[in-house]
Amino acid sequence: MYKIINKIVDVLIVGSGVSGLYSSLNLREDLEILLATKSDLQRTNTSLAQGGISTARDKNDIELFIQDTLKAGKYKNNVDAVKILAKESKSKIIDLINLGVDFDIDNNNLKYTKEGAHSINRIVHIKDKTGEGVEDTLINRVKERENIHIYEYTYLVDIIKDKNKCLGAVLIKDNIQFNIYAKKVILATGGIGGVFKNTTNQKILNGDSIAIALKHNIKLKNLDYIQIHPTAFFEEEKGERRLLISEAVRGEGAKLIDIKGERFIDELLPRDIVSKAIFDQLRKTNSSYVNLDLTFMNKDYIIKRFPYIYSECLKRGVDITKDYIKVSPAQHYFMGGIEVNLDSKTSLENLYAVGETSCTGVHGANRLASNSLLEGLVFSKKASDSINNTIDDINITIKSVDKIKKDVNDIRKKNTKIVIEAIKENCEGFDDELFDYR
Ligand SMILES: Cc1cc2nc3c(=O)[nH]c(=O)nc-3n(C[C@H](O)[C@H](O)[C@H](O)COP(=O)(O)OP(=O)(O)OC[C@H]3O[C@@H](n4cnc5c(N)ncnc54)[C@H](O)[C@@H]3O)c2cc1C
């Protein structure tokens, strides 16, 4: 039987990746917070992150980090956002350590690795499973908070709105429709990889918030800024997400070679340039993949530094200490999204967007490697700070909400279609065969 439950909270957060979890931890503990997620808590892109988190190593590195981010972003970035990102980076890493994140260290010092387009080694990591370490630690901290209520398998289907104000959101779990009235709502619903056939992302991420923003005329930005990662494990299409071979592998020295065994590109150039070089090579050699070679590296080092990639490739019949890894590009990240200001506020009053679903403009046209988790940390904290300072002035407004007639699967499919249409409209050359309409 279908049931409708009306509920009032102070803050509703949708999404349990780095940006949703971290924003919840930075909200005042006297606020009642509901954190909802469409699957289980861990099923996020955050959990999949391998390479690490960028940070300015010290004050002297801030300017160079800013320049690297701008250069990778083709100078289309929001410079003020980039400055904030770089200046506040180290404090976020220290905060994560204080929360219990166990980054790799050497003699009590953080270990830094390198990835494409970074001038120096400045990426902290937990072997090649950084995201899992961050996600699990943040979830543990969230579960310790009595003021944060977690709703898993609960799907955001719409926001509740009156004129230019967000009043809450409608979520569905099984046969229950929750009309959640909140003083502030944070969308932390991640990327759009699920609408592509060929993606490194969790397939469940189909851009629901983007579809909702389009429906309500909430401002969006840079819908054509879609990042293609150069090195996803090549295998025949199975309708599942593709295994990423982290840029950190190239950062540690792995070489890209074509099927004739020749190098064709500097592996540490920005992602868009390396992806284009691979596409050119695939055309020239009439092949579906190029090879990534790390067989010349010490075997024990490979297994210790990249245990996840090693074991995942082994499951697919490739021993990366002896065999080349066949790779080809795949959709990886969305630099565009719901337009927000430097406090992560959208164009709709009392609605915030953080993480990959938002567009602070910090990445410009091409994200610098390992800047995404950092953006999630820095700008979700901005959202929380803004909410902490302004929420006491807001009264809850109740507006009646109709029963949702469609089932969640139909809503998901419709949102997927809306997002695909928006991408096709904005991105030249993106045609139907790239997309997964399921
Ligand atoms: C394979 C891979 C490797 C990566 N490696 C790195 C890296 O090394 N460093 C780096 O900085 N970045 C990396 N990234 C990018 C980075 O992981 C993501 O951009 C970042 O984690 C996004 O965090 P988020 O909080 O915005 O969203 P996510 O972590 O993706 O979480 C999204 C959340 O929203 C929920 N959600 C979505 N729609 C709904 C809905 N309708 N109703 C309810 N809940 C919903 C989901 O269930 C999920 O909980 C990588 C990405 C991938 C895919």
Side-chain angles (χ1 to χ4, degrees):
M1 203 184 61
Y2 197 83
K3 205 168 156 188
I4 297 183
I5 296 179
N6 294 320
K7 195 170 164 54
I8 295 175
V9 295
D10 291 309
V11 185
L12 168 66
I13 300 173
V14 188
S16 59
V18 64
S19 44
L21 296 170
Y22 196 64
S23 58
S24 73
L25 289 171
N26 281 296
L27 286 167
R28 286 174 6 206
E29 290 192 40
D30 63 324
L31 299 175
E32 198 185 346
I33 300 162
L34 196 162
L35 189 144
T37 182
K38 64 160 52 161
S39 181
D40 59 76
L41 281 172
Q42 275 91 352
R43 192 123 183 255
T44 61
N45 270 356
T46 299
S47 296
L48 297 177
Q50 298 177 351
I53 312 180
S54 323
T55 177
R57 289 183 63 151
D58 51 36
K59 277 193 183 142
N60 296 330
D61 184 33
I62 289 176
E63 190 48 39
L64 190 56
F65 184 21
I66 292 171
Q67 289 311 320
D68 286 349
T69 302
L70 293 174
K71 192 173 171 196
K74 299 183 188 306
Y75 300 96
K76 303 277 187 202
N77 321 55
N78 175 340
V79 179
D80 291 334
V82 176
K83 285 182 183 164
I84 291 172
L85 186 86
K87 282 187 189 149
E88 299 191 7
S89 55
K90 197 60 181 277
S91 67
K92 296 296 170 287
I93 302 303
I94 292 166
D95 194 29
L96 287 183
I97 294 169
N98 291 336
L99 288 166
V101 175
D102 210 2
F103 290 115
D104 288 354
I105 49 167
D106 198 8
N107 285 331
N108 276 337
N109 294 317
L110 283 167
K111 268 191 184 173
Y112 296 96
T113 191
K114 198 170 183 202
E115 294 189 273
H118 282 275
S119 299
I120 62 163
N121 289 34
R122 62 159 81 86
I123 294 152
V124 294
H125 52 88
I126 308 166
K127 299 199 166 55
D128 58 352
K129 297 205 278 188
T130 308
E132 196 181 292
V134 170
E135 177 84 16
D136 290 351
T137 305
L138 295 181
I139 287 174
N140 289 339
R141 296 295 82 79
V142 166
K143 285 183 171 168
E144 288 162 5
R145 290 279 175 90
E146 284 180 5
N147 64 321
I148 305 175
H149 310 285
I150 297 168
Y151 282 25
E152 290 181 284
Y153 300 99
T154 307
Y155 202 109
L156 168 76
V157 296
D158 205 352
I159 52 167
I160 308 170
K161 184 186 135 177
D162 187 33
K163 300 196 182 86
N164 195 36
K165 274 196 184 138
C166 180
L167 308 179
V170 183
L171 296 111
I172 292 185
K173 179 177 186 163
D174 303 324
N175 270 344
I176 307 174
Q177 173 178 332
F178 291 98
N179 300 329
I180 309 290
Y181 296 93
K183 293 176 184 170
K184 302 273 187 179
V185 175
I186 304 181
L187 300 174
T189 49
I192 56 168
V195 310
F196 288 88
K197 282 185 188 155
N198 188 1
T199 181
T200 61
N201 288 196
Q202 301 279 12
K203 289 294 282 182
I204 60 163
L205 298 176
N206 62 314
D208 292 308
S209 292
I210 304 297
I212 291 170
L214 284 163
K215 175 176 155 190
H216 290 285
N217 290 322
I218 296 165
K219 277 193 193 159
L220 291 137
K221 206 175 161 190
N222 298 341
L223 296 187
D224 54 333
Y225 288 175
I226 293 172
Q227 184 169 74
I228 309 296
H229 196 289
T231 55
F233 187 92
F234 173 77
E235 51 195 334
E236 294 310 324
E237 211 173 274
K238 291 183 190 150
E240 289 164 19
R241 76 171 202 91
R242 289 183 54 201
L243 171 67
L244 180 77
I245 308 298
S246 167
E247 192 148 348
V249 176
R250 281 173 283 133
E252 300 282 345
K255 302 293 173 225
L256 279 168
I257 50 179
D258 65 18
I259 52 166
K260 292 185 206 133
E262 283 166 22
R263 264 184 89 196
F264 55 91
I265 184 77
D266 169 355
E267 291 78 5
L268 291 181
L269 287 172
R271 287 180 177 170
D272 58 332
I273 297 176
V274 180
S275 289
K276 185 173 176 308
I278 295 177
F279 281 127
D280 289 347
Q281 211 59 24
L282 298 183
R283 256 189 307 274
K284 267 193 220 155
T285 56
N286 198 20
S287 172
S288 310
Y289 60 86
V290 295
N291 290 311
L292 188 64
D293 178 14
L294 54 158
T295 56
F296 55 87
M297 291 184 201
N298 177 285
K299 181 177 173 176
D300 292 340
Y301 174 75
I302 293 176
I303 296 172
K304 219 170 144 206
R305 176 68 180 85
F306 300 112
Y308 174 75
I309 294 172
Y310 172 73
S311 70
E312 287 299 315
C313 287
L314 212 52
K315 278 185 208 162
R316 293 162 171 83
V318 177
D319 178 346
I320 64 172
T321 66
K322 293 193 214 135
D323 307 322
Y324 291 160
I325 312 174
K326 292 177 183 175
V327 293
S328 69
Q331 188 281 341
H332 183 59
Y333 186 77
F334 187 34
M335 278 80 62
I338 303 174
E339 184 174 332
V340 291
N341 70 8
L342 297 176
D343 285 327
S344 299
K345 286 183 183 172
T346 71
S347 61
L348 185 67
E349 212 175 306
N350 298 330
L351 182 71
Y352 293 71
V354 294
E356 196 169 336
T357 200
S358 70
C359 181
T360 56
V362 78
H363 305 301
N366 179 53
R367 170 171 72 92
L368 181 66
S370 286
N371 265 359
S372 169
L373 295 173
L374 181 61
E375 181 197 27
L377 294 163
V378 169
F379 289 97
S380 69
K381 170 85 164 57
K382 294 281 174 212
S384 303
D385 291 347
S386 161
I387 291 173
N388 289 339
N389 291 332
T390 55
I391 196 162
D392 293 336
D393 302 332
I394 297 170
N395 295 317
I396 290 278
T397 310
I398 307 285
K399 185 185 164 189
S400 72
V401 176
D402 293 339
K403 179 181 166 194
I404 302 287
K405 294 200 183 80
K406 285 201 170 105
D407 87 358
V408 166
N409 203 30
D410 290 339
I411 293 167
R412 186 190 56 75
K413 271 193 185 163
K414 191 171 173 215
N415 287 347
T416 299
K417 212 167 159 226
I418 293 171
V419 173
I420 292 173
E421 288 310 314
I423 296 170
K424 284 202 300 195
E425 230 172 74
N426 285 278
C427 302
E428 217 179 292
F430 278 52
D431 46 36
D432 266 342
E433 68 181 41
L434 295 177
F435 297 107
D436 187 347
Y437 282 90
R438 283 177 301 160

